Amino acid sequence: MVIQSINLSVNQQDFDLPVAILCGGKGTRLREETEFRPKPMINVGNRPIIWHIMKTYSYYGLRNFMLCLGYKGEMIREYFFNYDWNHSDILLELGTKQITTLNNRHDEETWRIWLVDTGQETMTGGRLKRLSTYLDQMGSDIFLATYGDGVCDVNIAALLDFHYSHGKLATITAVRPASRFGELVIEDHLVSYFQEKPQTSQGWINGGYFVFARKVLDLIEGDDTVFEEQPLKNLAALGELAVYKHDGFWQCMDTYREMELLKNLYESGQARWKVW
């Protein structure tokens, strides 16, 4: 697939690039919540955080989602399997149990969702690798990826335009919160070195919101591969990891404090990631 320029809008209906979302981790730093549900299913407002992430991509016309399931993945399956039932007006005839969906429709009805069991103990790279068959079936040479616990107001259309402009295998979105994540050493819009969770930071960290060529999966050996370790380091060493700098809003939900922050922002009408 070759696209020279991308001008996505909320009205574009048929944009086929898949979006992989990592949903399988145990979320041990949020054990108060994740003992009962997977972290992507923690509500921000009246919807789980994974829904907020998918709405951002959907706003830019991307509606093919590949969810990499693991820990308590059945709860994510059930949520989306029952989505139409729970978010539409329904006529239920008790005697016959006949169900009729009434005229109103919801904005998410065009979403196509792959619910893929990627294993209970599989690492992030292994989860992406397990999507290979489905990516091949779609015939997609490019896919996007992110984590199931971070919201952002990044312009996905501009991110894709940037990816196609540089011709590298991978693009990573760099953000500027307090550093606890992967440090990016950036030179001329390329990542020259990647270090996960460093002791010091230069100010830019791994914010997720990746764009990858299909060939990136060849760098992943198997289920035990942590994507943020050797694969990203190899891409950086090869000069194939470009960086898209995002100065806007980004926030993960890794701790109880961060969960409360996101909930408070949403409830107070200050959810800057809510571009839809």
Side-chain angles (χ1 to χ4, degrees):
M1 181 182 299
V2 178
I3 300 177
Q4 297 299 325
S5 181
I6 298 173
N7 295 301
L8 299 179
S9 73
V10 71
N11 296 317
Q12 184 169 348
Q13 297 298 314
D14 296 311
F15 195 68
D16 293 332
L17 290 180
V19 179
I21 304 180
L22 294 163
C23 306
K26 296 180 179 179
T28 54
R29 292 183 181 177
L30 255 177
R31 193 176 299 277
E32 305 96 324
E33 293 287 333
T34 57
E35 181 179 355
F36 307 104
R37 61 184 61 85
K39 187 160 52 166
M41 288 303 296
I42 297 175
N43 274 6
V44 176
N46 63 348
R47 302 291 175 91
I49 189 170
I50 190 172
W51 179 90
H52 291 259
I53 296 166
M54 295 165 75
K55 284 291 284 186
T56 298
Y57 284 103
S58 177
Y59 175 78
Y60 291 98
L62 293 127
R63 299 184 177 92
N64 283 286
F65 300 102
M66 293 184 169
L67 307 189
C68 302
L69 306 182
Y71 175 71
K72 295 188 181 296
E74 68 279 0
M75 296 185 68
I76 299 176
R77 290 179 183 272
E78 290 169 4
Y79 176 78
F80 286 109
F81 184 80
N82 293 311
Y83 194 89
D84 290 331
W85 171 266
N86 290 324
H87 296 89
S88 302
D89 288 348
I90 300 291
L91 169 61
L92 171 61
E93 299 178 42
L94 291 181
T96 62
K97 299 299 188 290
Q98 180 175 335
I99 298 171
T100 304
T101 302
L102 303 179
N103 289 333
N104 64 304
R105 309 171 79 180
H106 57 75
D107 293 337
E108 295 76 47
E109 63 186 19
T110 58
W111 290 6
R112 303 175 72 222
I113 304 173
W114 281 255
L115 297 160
V116 184
D117 181 4
T118 57
Q120 292 289 314
E121 305 297 332
T122 308
M123 297 292 103
T124 50
R127 294 191 190 282
L128 293 175
K129 184 80 167 182
R130 288 205 188 190
L131 299 180
S132 298
T133 298
Y134 303 108
L135 290 169
D136 291 343
Q137 290 174 2
M138 288 190 67
S140 178
D141 293 328
I142 297 292
F143 69 100
L144 298 90
T146 195
Y147 304 104
D149 64 353
V151 288
C152 186
D153 64 353
V154 63
N155 185 316
I156 301 297
L159 172 63
L160 281 167
D161 269 335
F162 174 76
H163 179 79
Y164 286 113
S165 73
H166 59 62
K168 304 298 181 182
L169 290 178
T171 298
I172 185 173
T173 298
V175 295
R176 285 187 182 273
S179 68
R180 287 189 297 111
F181 301 85
E183 180 178 348
L184 307 176
V185 179
I186 300 168
E187 298 176 0
D188 297 327
H189 291 284
L190 288 177
V191 177
S192 60
Y193 182 75
F194 182 97
Q195 180 181 356
E196 183 67 0
K197 297 183 180 178
Q199 296 300 312
T200 60
S201 173
Q202 294 183 336
W204 293 99
I205 68 165
N206 168 21
Y209 290 84
F210 303 97
V211 186
F212 294 132
R214 168 66 177 78
K215 293 180 181 179
V216 165
L217 297 184
D218 296 338
L219 299 175
I220 300 171
E221 294 184 2
D223 285 357
D224 294 335
T225 302
V226 177
F227 188 74
E228 297 80 4
E229 293 181 356
Q230 207 57 47
L232 277 185
K233 290 180 179 179
N234 287 342
L235 284 166
L238 293 169
E240 291 289 343
L241 182 57
V243 60
Y244 182 82
K245 293 181 178 179
H246 175 62
D247 280 311
F249 180 86
W250 177 92
Q251 181 61 57
C252 68
M253 187 167 60
D254 203 32
T255 66
Y256 186 84
R257 183 193 65 80
E258 291 165 345
M259 179 187 72
E260 289 298 301
L261 170 64
L262 289 175
K263 289 183 176 183
N264 290 336
L265 287 173
Y266 189 84
E267 291 168 4
S268 64
Q270 301 180 64
R272 290 175 54 192
W273 68 89
K274 189 177 180 294
V275 296
W276 60 89

